[in-house]
Amino acid sequence: MHIEHGTDLAPLNTFGVPARADTLVRLRSPGEAHDLLRRPALMAGPLLILGGGSNLLFTADWPGLVLLPQIFDREILETQGEVVTVAGGAGENWDAFVRWTLGLGLGGLENLALIPGTLGAAPIQNIGAYGVELRDHLLWVEAIDLREQRSCRFYNADCGFAYRDSVFKREPGRLLITRVAFRLSRRPELELDYGEVRDELAAAGIASPTALQVADAVSAIRRRKLPDPTQIGNAGSFFRNPVVPAAQAARLSAEHAGMPQFAAYGGVKIPAGWLIEACGWKGHRAGDAGVHIGHALVLVNHGNATGGQIAALARQIVASVSERFGVTLEPEVRIV
Ligand code: FAD
Ligand code: EPU
């Protein structure tokens, strides 16, 4: 186990905002996490588990322990005909893991290509993109319950997955995810009907795509639409898309011409990007904190913004969307 003090967290969060960790421990194995539990002095203060820092906003220094799971391994666990079970360690880069599965000829995760972050964080908010969510292919999650001090395995049905939500998210710092397994297929059913995926493939002259070609198409769309965190600090969608009851959606639609709406998650999903753009925020800049010029749902750090400045901008956006539409935006990004 590697222990540091006063670690600079700016390179460890994709907003690139300044913050320091009082103590930071890099964990190389689940065994090291159990060793840590035998050192109560280290675990006494507030605890933050940090993956790739691509869904976090630091508004202050972290006064306690930051745990960085750097557990790396990828494994084929079982093959049953076309169905193959694979697993990987929490520290694996998500996109590299997806590409590894595709390289094995396995489909399922292709629509989730190029999402930043680690494998261990992917179940936290049940990552999703282009019509697929993690829960569609996840078999189990192995974790260490830091409160109960024991290892546990959660099968898919026990994970409480919902839109950008899971049991792991509800008590941050309690469950340290160490390993994640997926059931994938050599003959996957491809999901091509969401967003621009079909158009992207058609433009490339591909009529019957492979899973790998779908991943490449999704990656191309993402590179075009979303800012690259290595160029401009951001954490992807800052807010979740609100899902409202059908009656409220109908009222909003009658009052606001052109508002896009989609049946989803048992209600009606309204793109938060549209609501924010309609309030005039797209491209807005307050010092170095801003709203991306190309996508209103993405808050950005133009260089030297603090987390506090970005959080203040987020609060202003929530207030203006609420005032104009009566809809309360909720952050997807964890603000700490
Ligand atoms: P972090 O930001 O480090 O942590 C996120 C949360 O998970 C924190 O609460 C943290 O405490 C917890 N956590 C991290 N690792 C563990 C662990 N091993 N055990 C327990 N808790 C842990 N998300 C989507 O769903 N879909 C998208 O399409 C998408 N696009 C994005 C595009 C961009 C450009 C960016 C910057 C982000 C995007 N995101 C998207 C958000 C982000 O990539 C995901 O939420 C990702 O899973 C976060 O991974 P991370 O390792 O960076 O987690
Ligand atoms: N829109 C605008 N103005 C904008 C941006 C978007 O009006 O500036 C409207 C348009 O109508 C557009 C619609 O919003 O058609 C949807 O936009 P987009 O296709 O970019 O998707 P999104 O709803 O903004 C969601 C996820 C993304 C995911 C994409 C693709 C959430 C909060 N975000 O974005 O996830 O990659 O769909 O599936 O659900 C993330 O979670 O960080 C993330 C990037």
Side-chain angles (χ1 to χ4, degrees):
M1 163 185 351
H2 183 81
I3 303 174
E4 301 166 18
H5 293 286
T7 308
D8 180 10
L9 297 173
L12 300 180
N13 75 90
T14 60
F15 263 121
V17 295
R20 283 193 180 274
D22 178 79
T23 308
L24 182 138
V25 169
R26 294 173 198 270
L27 289 174
R28 314 275 185 204
S29 67
E32 285 194 350
H34 287 287
D35 292 346
L36 192 67
L37 289 169
R38 287 189 280 272
R39 300 179 65 168
L42 268 178
M43 302 284 290
L47 176 87
L48 176 72
I49 304 167
L50 182 61
S54 65
N55 213 26
L56 277 175
L57 178 64
F58 287 106
T59 57
D61 291 339
W62 187 260
L65 175 64
V66 172
L67 275 186
L68 210 60
Q70 295 190 322
I71 304 168
F72 301 110
D73 79 89
R74 299 171 190 170
E75 202 184 346
I76 299 172
L77 295 180
E78 192 181 46
T79 301
Q80 283 182 316
E82 289 161 7
V83 178
V84 179
T85 305
V86 297
E92 291 283 335
N93 172 272
W94 170 256
D95 185 53
F97 184 81
V98 171
R99 291 280 164 184
W100 172 69
T101 64
L102 292 167
L104 293 171
L106 301 175
L109 304 180
E110 54 279 356
N111 295 46
L112 304 175
L114 211 64
I115 296 180
T118 56
L119 180 52
I124 303 292
Q125 69 158 5
N126 176 32
I127 55 169
Y130 297 97
V132 174
E133 290 183 327
L134 190 86
R135 66 169 159 192
D136 299 331
H137 300 284
L138 181 132
L139 179 61
W140 49 250
V141 172
E142 281 179 352
I144 297 171
D145 186 329
L146 298 172
R147 197 174 76 192
E148 303 292 327
Q149 308 210 347
R150 62 182 171 84
S151 301
C152 38
R153 182 183 273 194
F154 293 78
Y155 281 90
N156 191 315
D158 308 323
C159 293
F161 285 132
Y163 169 55
R164 298 294 191 269
D165 200 16
S166 73
V167 290
F168 312 106
K169 194 173 171 179
R170 288 171 213 149
E171 280 186 87
R174 175 169 173 187
L175 293 163
L176 168 70
I177 294 178
T178 52
R179 215 151 172 256
V180 187
F182 298 91
R183 209 168 246 168
L184 303 176
S185 173
R186 293 194 194 284
R187 295 183 58 181
E189 277 178 38
L190 301 177
E191 167 57 64
L192 307 176
D193 290 332
Y194 187 100
E196 311 96 309
V197 177
R198 222 178 259 284
D199 295 345
E200 186 73 24
L201 288 162
I206 299 167
S208 307
T210 61
L212 184 58
Q213 287 170 323
V214 174
D216 288 343
V218 165
S219 301
I221 297 168
R222 297 181 66 94
R223 284 199 182 91
R224 230 178 14 243
K225 289 180 73 164
L226 293 167
D228 175 355
T230 64
Q231 304 300 314
I232 178 164
N234 76 91
S237 302
F238 195 89
F239 302 100
R240 301 196 298 179
N241 286 319
V243 178
V244 303
Q248 186 183 358
R251 224 170 29 246
L252 284 165
S253 175
E255 288 165 9
H256 305 281
M259 177 186 284
Q261 300 190 341
F262 306 92
Y265 308 109
V268 178
K269 182 178 89 174
I270 302 175
W274 189 92
L275 299 172
I276 297 168
E277 180 172 353
C279 289
W281 289 104
K282 196 167 179 172
H284 172 90
R285 192 167 168 166
D288 273 353
V291 179
H292 187 52
I293 187 77
H295 201 302
L297 192 47
V298 182
L299 302 195
V300 293
N301 176 6
H302 286 287
N304 292 311
T306 63
Q309 288 164 341
I310 293 167
L313 175 59
R315 284 194 297 274
Q316 285 182 289
I317 291 170
V318 171
S320 82
V321 168
S322 168
E323 193 184 341
R324 170 121 186 242
F325 297 106
V327 172
T328 306
L329 293 182
E330 286 171 8
E332 172 186 303
V333 170
R334 180 171 169 204
I335 301 169
V336 292

